[in-house]
Amino acid sequence: SHSMMGRWVTGLVLLLAAVAESRISSLELWRERRHYFIVSSFGLLQGGTITIRVGDYTTRGQISAAGFSIHRNSQKATEYDMSLLSVDSCFLTLPDGSAEAALTQPHFVKLLFNGSENVLKSDHHTLGGVRVTEPKSELIDDKLFWEVEISLMSPEAEDEYTIAFHRCDASPLSVGSVSAEVDIIELNPGPDYLGAGLAPLAMIYFIMAAAFFVCTVVWGGVLRANRQSPQLFRVHYVMLALMAAKTLSLLLRGIDYHYIKMTGHENKEWAFLFYTVHLVKGMILFTVIILIGAGFGFIKHALSKNERNIFLIVIPLQLISGIAWILIEESAEGSSVRSTWTSIGLMIDLVCCVAVLFPVVWSIRHLRESSATDGKAAASLKKLRLFRKFYVMVLAYIYTTRILVYLISNSMQFRYEWLGPFFAELVSLIFYITTGVMFSPEPGNEYLDVPDHDSDDDVDHDSEEATISTTGISDGMKRVRRHKEEETPAVSSIQQRKDMGLEPDF
């Protein structure tokens, strides 16, 4: 039932908010067999520190070396690909003068586990402007942790620093594993736990929330001013709910980032509210796109079986996609859970984005056919142009928010990582505003305020009811052709809506 589903989703969000207490990276390695992966990245400024704390370190099988490397610039970190090395080589133990060492970048810090004492030690240090402390022990919750701190001493060394984990087998025929608890604490002066590139995010989300709030108020005013309009449909109120949910989501996101920036920890209550609103907003967004794309209210009064099936597919998938996004957000960067759910979430999101395009395509196909068959060619062609524009807009919105934003975020200099999220929200704002203008219920809307007949049609038609019910979007659609001489200006606005097939089936 819906109530059981609601309780299940609420319980899951509460669990996630309770488990993920901090953005200070806490990574639990349990029989880890990956040879190499990125643990964390951080835009470090002068006076900033990176603290690596490791405890409960154990190995299984034959391990020749295990530890961390800290690289300046995340792009250089990815170049330490184990595929560059031969099968029996280990990055942590490569001689400095070897040919294989020349395949990698020369500036890094190595922190190796000492097999006999299970402590971290600095094995190789060639980063300029960086100081590495000697390992020191600390007892935390009755567990012994070893800690190393990396401090940035020079403004010339400010950059994005990436921590990677390495595990090397003693033999290609013997695969070992590593278990450990790892805490990564990254901090800039301020305090600032977000890093140089992400520090402005809280303010950006507050500004965008204010912009969406203004749009919500304006849209509410438009609906109120046109509450008697024959072009006002229920979908317009769903669009208002979407704007309100988007505004609240951005506001809560800004509060969430503010807490993380100042303390390194999320506030559980605000995090729960944000994730709940984010899930609801995602489902309302796809509902609006499907309803508008199907022409519900604009060109028909009921959804076809195919369109209802799209709803049954997209809404549950969007819920799963939202949950996957929460798991990604709350998982440590180097965890295997994060990489798994990233792939799942991306695949589901792309399926949803493709599925919502089908109703738009069906609407375009129907309007093209009706413009050539019924007596309202001018009206149909206007709406055809409208839905073509909406199709292009949805495609552009999907491309920019799913692909282009990712490319921007990964190509920006480390101080400007915030441009990716900012661009995504700016594109969303433009998409929302443009959609509202195109489908506004105002009487002056050239696409929705169309005549009952084609003014250029000189051919007389007998009064007949033509039911268009083939496939796709045309199910349940009715058009009434009237004898031109029988039409009178006394026809009420409600009757006009019924004649045009514009009355929603609520």
Side-chain angles (χ1 to χ4, degrees):
S1 67
H2 294 291
S3 61
M4 290 182 63
M5 175 65 74
R7 288 195 297 268
W8 181 81
V9 172
T10 302
L12 178 60
V13 173
L14 278 170
L15 176 63
L16 290 169
V19 170
E21 298 180 357
S22 170
R23 291 298 179 89
I24 297 174
S25 302
S26 296
L27 180 64
E28 184 174 349
L29 304 178
W30 173 247
R31 297 183 181 179
E32 182 61 63
R33 293 175 175 268
R34 287 178 290 175
H35 286 90
Y36 169 86
F37 59 88
I38 301 294
V39 177
S40 181
S41 298
F42 189 78
L44 201 61
L45 301 178
Q46 184 182 11
T49 59
I50 298 176
T51 303
I52 302 176
R53 188 183 296 147
V54 179
D56 203 17
Y57 173 77
T58 59
T59 62
R60 287 170 61 93
Q62 299 289 323
I63 299 291
S64 64
F68 299 95
S69 59
I70 295 93
H71 317 277
R72 180 174 176 177
N73 190 304
S74 60
Q75 184 178 358
K76 293 179 180 179
T78 60
E79 292 173 4
Y80 284 85
D81 192 334
M82 299 303 288
S83 63
L84 294 174
L85 309 177
S86 60
V87 177
D88 57 347
S89 296
C90 174
F91 168 76
L92 293 177
T93 58
L94 282 178
D96 292 343
S98 67
E100 287 179 317
L103 293 173
T104 62
Q105 298 293 328
H107 303 297
F108 53 85
V109 175
K110 287 183 185 178
L111 299 173
L112 274 67
F113 292 110
N114 186 319
S116 59
E117 303 175 8
N118 290 343
V119 298
L120 285 172
K121 64 175 183 177
S122 178
D123 180 73
H124 187 96
H125 176 21
T126 58
L127 285 176
V130 173
R131 182 181 65 192
V132 182
T133 64
E134 290 297 319
K136 61 181 181 180
S137 61
E138 184 178 359
L139 197 63
I140 302 176
D141 295 334
D142 298 326
K143 292 182 180 179
L144 185 63
F145 282 78
W146 289 91
E147 180 178 299
V148 173
E149 184 178 275
I150 295 97
S151 303
L152 198 67
M153 311 303 295
S154 168
E156 288 77 19
E158 294 180 344
D159 206 335
E160 184 172 29
Y161 286 80
T162 302
I163 304 168
F165 177 80
H166 301 262
R167 183 196 60 80
C168 305
D169 295 316
S171 167
L173 302 177
S174 175
V175 179
S177 63
V178 171
S179 299
E181 293 183 22
V182 181
D183 291 333
I184 310 292
I185 304 172
E186 298 155 314
L187 176 65
N188 275 330
D192 173 19
Y193 287 89
L194 284 176
L198 302 179
L201 275 185
M203 184 56 64
I204 287 172
Y205 283 120
F206 287 142
I207 293 172
M208 297 306 299
F212 272 93
F213 176 75
V214 172
C215 293
T216 303
V217 172
V218 171
W219 184 248
V222 170
L223 299 189
R224 179 178 174 81
N226 295 276
R227 57 186 179 277
Q228 302 299 329
S229 171
Q231 277 93 31
L232 181 63
F233 309 110
R234 293 282 180 89
V235 67
H236 288 117
Y237 292 101
V238 181
M239 294 165 71
L240 179 63
L242 173 61
M243 294 292 292
K246 179 67 174 179
T247 301
L248 186 57
S249 174
L250 287 169
L251 176 63
L252 294 172
R253 187 62 161 165
I255 295 173
D256 189 39
Y257 268 104
H258 174 73
Y259 273 100
I260 296 169
K261 178 180 179 180
M262 301 305 296
T263 67
H265 298 265
E266 283 184 330
N267 180 283
K268 293 181 182 180
E269 290 76 15
W270 289 111
F272 166 72
L273 287 174
F274 166 68
Y275 290 132
T276 302
V277 174
H278 178 78
L279 286 175
V280 173
K281 185 264 298 178
M283 290 187 286
I284 297 177
L285 172 62
F286 278 86
T287 298
V288 168
I289 292 177
I290 293 173
L291 289 177
I292 293 179
F296 188 61
F298 303 109
I299 61 175
K300 64 193 299 185
H301 69 273
L303 294 176
S304 69
K305 181 180 179 181
N306 287 345
E307 289 156 355
R308 291 193 296 269
N309 289 336
I310 292 291
F311 262 112
L312 294 176
I313 293 172
V314 169
I315 300 305
L317 283 180
Q318 186 58 28
L319 177 62
I320 298 173
S321 176
I323 294 172
W325 181 83
I326 296 174
L327 288 169
I328 293 168
E329 285 287 299
E330 298 301 336
S331 301
E333 187 173 347
S335 65
S336 56
V337 172
R338 185 186 182 98
S339 59
T340 300
W341 279 102
T342 298
S343 302
I344 294 174
L346 179 62
M347 180 183 67
I348 293 175
D349 199 39
L350 289 176
V351 170
C352 292
C353 291
V354 172
V356 297
L357 292 175
F358 280 99
V360 189
V361 174
W362 293 334
S363 294
I364 292 174
R365 184 180 64 184
H366 162 70
L367 289 170
R368 186 184 295 115
E369 293 171 354
S370 65
S371 66
T373 57
D374 69 9
K376 305 181 180 68
S380 296
L381 287 174
K382 280 187 176 182
K383 291 180 179 178
L384 177 61
R385 290 195 296 269
L386 172 70
F387 280 88
R388 280 176 175 169
K389 288 180 181 178
F390 184 67
Y391 176 78
V392 173
M393 278 174 49
V394 173
L395 277 179
Y397 176 71
I398 292 171
Y399 174 75
T400 52
T401 56
R402 267 65 178 179
I403 300 174
L404 193 59
V405 168
Y406 173 80
L407 296 176
I408 291 174
S409 298
N410 285 272
S411 60
M412 287 290 109
Q413 198 254 1
F414 82 101
R415 296 178 188 272
Y416 304 104
E417 289 181 78
W418 56 269
L419 282 174
F422 171 72
F423 186 71
E425 298 304 334
L426 184 62
V427 169
S428 297
L429 181 63
I430 295 172
F431 176 73
Y432 282 40
I433 292 175
T434 308
T435 302
V437 171
M438 290 172 65
F439 294 93
S440 171
E442 293 178 322
N445 190 324
E446 63 173 314
Y447 295 107
L448 302 184
D449 188 22
V450 294
D452 284 347
H453 63 282
D454 185 359
S455 59
D456 297 328
D457 187 8
D458 295 327
V459 182
D460 290 343
H461 300 284
D462 291 334
S463 178
E464 64 174 345
E465 181 175 275
T467 301
I468 304 173
S469 179
T470 53
T471 59
I473 132 172
S474 57
D475 289 359
M477 291 189 57
K478 291 185 177 180
R479 297 277 181 175
V480 177
R481 295 177 180 173
R482 292 180 163 272
H483 194 282
K484 203 166 192 181
E485 284 74 14
E486 293 177 356
E487 289 185 343
T488 64
V491 179
S492 68
S493 61
I494 296 178
Q495 184 64 40
Q496 288 178 13
R497 288 176 64 184
K498 290 181 178 179
D499 293 345
M500 297 177 65
L502 292 174
E503 185 175 27
D505 186 19
F506 285 100

